[in-house]
Amino acid sequence: MAWATTPTAHIATQVLSSEQLQYLDGFSERRLSFFGRFHHGLEAAYQLEVRHEARVSRLMLTLFPVIYITFIIPLFLQQGVTFWSLNQRSLVLLIEHFLIAPVFFIAALMQYFLWFRPYAEKILIAAALILLVLLEFFSMYAVPWQDPLPTGISMAVMVALLAPGRIALSRSLSLFVAYLALIVLFESDLLNWVGRRHRIDLVVEMTVLTVCLISGVSSDWRNRRRWAAVQVLATHAMKDVLTGSHNRRYLLDLWPRILNQAVRDGRSVFVMLFDLDHFKQLNDACGHQAGDMALARFGALLSAHARRPLDVAARIGGEEFVLVLHGCNRLDGERLAEQIRTELEALRIPVDADGKRHLTVSTGAICVSALTSFEHIYSLADTCLYQAKHGGRNRVVLMPEAA
């Protein structure tokens, strides 16, 4: 299965492969390693979903320093400090307003509008690390002013990152270690700072962050199980259980995308509507189990010809199937329809008890090169199928002109 990489890929519009479906279906019974990740190409799709769900919270997190600088820091100006005063305090304010705030505002916009990009999470972590360094630095720098920032602000940033479990586990651990190293650096004599934190404060802070990290791991596990269940249910909702082909709902959902892509590329879409001949006679003579097996074999035959991401083989009701081929011209489509007809004949599936007659298929086909609804295309293909049925069955009738 080729997962989409567009901003709407978090919506399950693609059906899982049988291997992926089996993997996710048994996911609740599996035990992941501590750095547990999905396999079979599913991790990227899961992370895309995570970024989509967390985009608002990540936006607020990266906007936090902008809000703080805009509404809190100017209160210091009421004490008679101006931007143009040539002292260290005004220099800090200048840096905060005209350098730090714009940088974090840009990072916030990237979190919201580019959430579907793989590097969005890296931008968030980088912004958080920069924010933590600046909070510690300016807080220590402001000690002589006797109004340093409270240490709880740094811890609040870490809690906001770790607790929801919206960041990959390996990166959460790296961020935790980096923050610990940062605290050790600023609270030690390496920079000749006077530590602001008492030992009990450090213990409490590390305890809170450890609990948040464990909570994040647990939350990530629950989110993965929920996501796996949703993907399995979505796949079952868009697949025909008997034949393994897609169903009508999936085809209707995907049709606008197939046709729009073809029109943009200047290509056509070839649609084939199949109806198995004498299928009722097969059920009556050989039993419904034999009929089900015949449907499954024909569904597998069609699915083998839907090789590309926008090709669809679907069972739309009873013994009626549709094969949609993206970027297929009229000549190639007609040749493939004849090939499918002969391939079914070669299977020699009996339709009567003595095995003298075998299952065949009638086909109505149409080549589409303009935007139109599937209902309209289906109606035209059904007209061709009607002609094939009344022309003797076991034949292909192609619409004379493109729709």
Side-chain angles (χ1 to χ4, degrees):
M1 182 194 92
W3 284 91
T5 56
T6 62
T8 56
H10 66 280
I11 302 174
T13 57
Q14 298 209 29
V15 176
L16 302 170
S17 67
S18 57
E19 184 181 20
Q20 291 171 327
L21 183 61
Q22 183 178 7
Y23 172 78
L24 289 181
D25 204 15
F27 180 75
S28 59
E29 302 175 359
R30 300 176 184 272
R31 292 179 177 233
L32 290 181
S33 63
F34 190 58
F35 293 94
R37 296 169 63 88
F38 286 117
H39 303 298
H40 303 289
L42 296 168
E43 182 65 23
Y46 170 72
Q47 291 299 334
L48 185 68
E49 178 81 6
V50 167
R51 292 195 297 271
H52 174 261
E53 291 184 352
R55 69 190 189 280
V56 175
S57 59
R58 290 182 173 184
L59 169 68
M60 296 308 299
L61 187 60
T62 43
L63 276 178
F64 168 76
V66 181
I67 297 172
Y68 181 84
I69 291 170
T70 303
F71 295 101
I72 304 300
I73 297 297
L75 295 178
F76 291 129
L77 299 181
Q78 298 177 3
Q79 303 175 10
V81 179
T82 64
F83 280 118
W84 310 113
S85 301
L86 296 178
N87 54 53
Q88 293 176 333
R89 189 171 189 175
S90 61
L91 179 61
V92 170
L93 293 175
L94 190 67
I95 293 174
E96 288 177 336
H97 278 86
F98 295 102
L99 178 61
I100 300 174
V103 168
F104 279 96
F105 183 72
I106 294 173
L109 293 179
M110 294 182 72
Q111 285 301 308
Y112 192 78
F113 292 106
L114 297 178
W115 60 267
F116 55 92
R117 299 296 185 186
Y119 53 75
E121 187 173 284
K122 297 179 181 179
I123 294 174
L124 175 66
I125 294 175
L129 287 174
I130 295 173
L131 175 59
L132 291 170
V133 171
L134 292 176
L135 286 173
E136 292 295 322
F137 179 79
F138 287 133
S139 181
M140 297 301 296
Y141 200 85
V143 168
W145 307 337
Q146 297 181 352
D147 56 1
L149 299 175
T151 58
I153 295 181
S154 298
M155 185 174 69
V157 173
M158 287 295 295
V159 169
L161 283 169
L162 298 179
R166 300 282 80 185
I167 294 180
L169 179 57
S170 59
R171 292 174 181 171
S172 296
L173 288 174
S174 301
L175 186 60
F176 181 83
V177 173
Y179 180 68
L180 182 60
L182 182 66
I183 296 303
V184 171
L185 180 65
F186 276 93
E187 295 294 331
S188 68
D189 294 331
L190 295 178
L191 296 179
N192 296 320
W193 296 120
V194 178
R196 295 173 299 141
R197 294 175 173 87
H198 298 291
R199 290 183 179 178
I200 187 63
D201 294 334
L202 287 173
V203 172
V204 171
E205 192 169 348
M206 291 301 106
T207 301
V208 170
L209 294 181
T210 301
V211 171
C212 288
L213 184 60
I214 295 174
S215 173
V217 172
S218 176
S219 175
D220 181 68
W221 171 250
R222 291 193 303 271
N223 288 332
R224 286 176 182 272
R225 292 186 64 182
R226 177 189 58 81
W227 184 83
V230 169
Q231 298 308 309
V232 171
L233 290 174
T235 299
H236 284 315
M238 293 185 288
K239 264 198 170 184
D240 178 63
V241 178
L242 177 61
T243 64
S245 304
H246 300 302
N247 58 20
R248 190 186 191 100
R249 173 185 173 185
Y250 177 82
L251 178 58
L252 292 177
D253 287 345
L254 197 61
W255 174 256
R257 180 182 169 193
I258 296 173
L259 199 55
N260 287 332
Q261 185 66 47
V263 170
R264 282 196 298 267
D265 296 342
R267 308 179 74 181
S268 56
V269 176
F270 198 83
V271 180
M272 289 172 265
L273 178 62
F274 302 92
D275 190 271
L276 298 178
D277 300 326
H278 306 294
F279 184 75
K280 185 179 184 303
Q281 181 180 344
L282 187 156
N283 271 333
D284 294 340
C286 303
H288 289 282
Q289 185 176 4
D292 290 345
M293 291 181 62
L295 290 173
R297 295 181 70 179
F298 185 68
L301 189 155
L302 284 187
S303 297
H305 292 286
R307 302 186 181 96
R308 294 169 296 184
L310 293 181
D311 292 346
V312 180
R315 181 189 179 199
I316 58 175
E319 64 271 23
E320 202 169 82
F321 292 79
V322 168
L323 179 62
V324 177
L325 298 177
H326 173 266
C328 181
N329 60 42
R330 182 182 180 87
L331 181 61
D332 291 339
E334 185 176 16
R335 186 184 299 116
L336 181 58
E338 284 290 344
Q339 178 183 338
I340 292 172
R341 185 188 64 80
T342 57
E343 286 178 356
L344 179 62
E345 274 190 313
L347 293 178
R348 299 185 66 81
I349 301 174
V351 298
D352 50 23
D354 55 13
K356 293 182 178 180
R357 301 175 63 188
H358 298 93
L359 188 66
T360 58
V361 66
S362 298
T363 308
I366 181 172
C367 189
V368 187
S369 57
L371 294 176
T372 186
S373 67
F374 179 77
E375 289 76 11
H376 178 63
I377 296 303
Y378 177 82
S379 175
L380 296 177
D382 190 53
T383 301
C384 295
L385 178 61
Y386 179 84
Q387 296 174 9
K389 286 286 188 181
H390 287 265
R393 295 185 173 88
N394 191 25
R395 65 188 62 220
V396 176
V397 175
L398 179 63
M399 179 66 65
E401 297 180 358

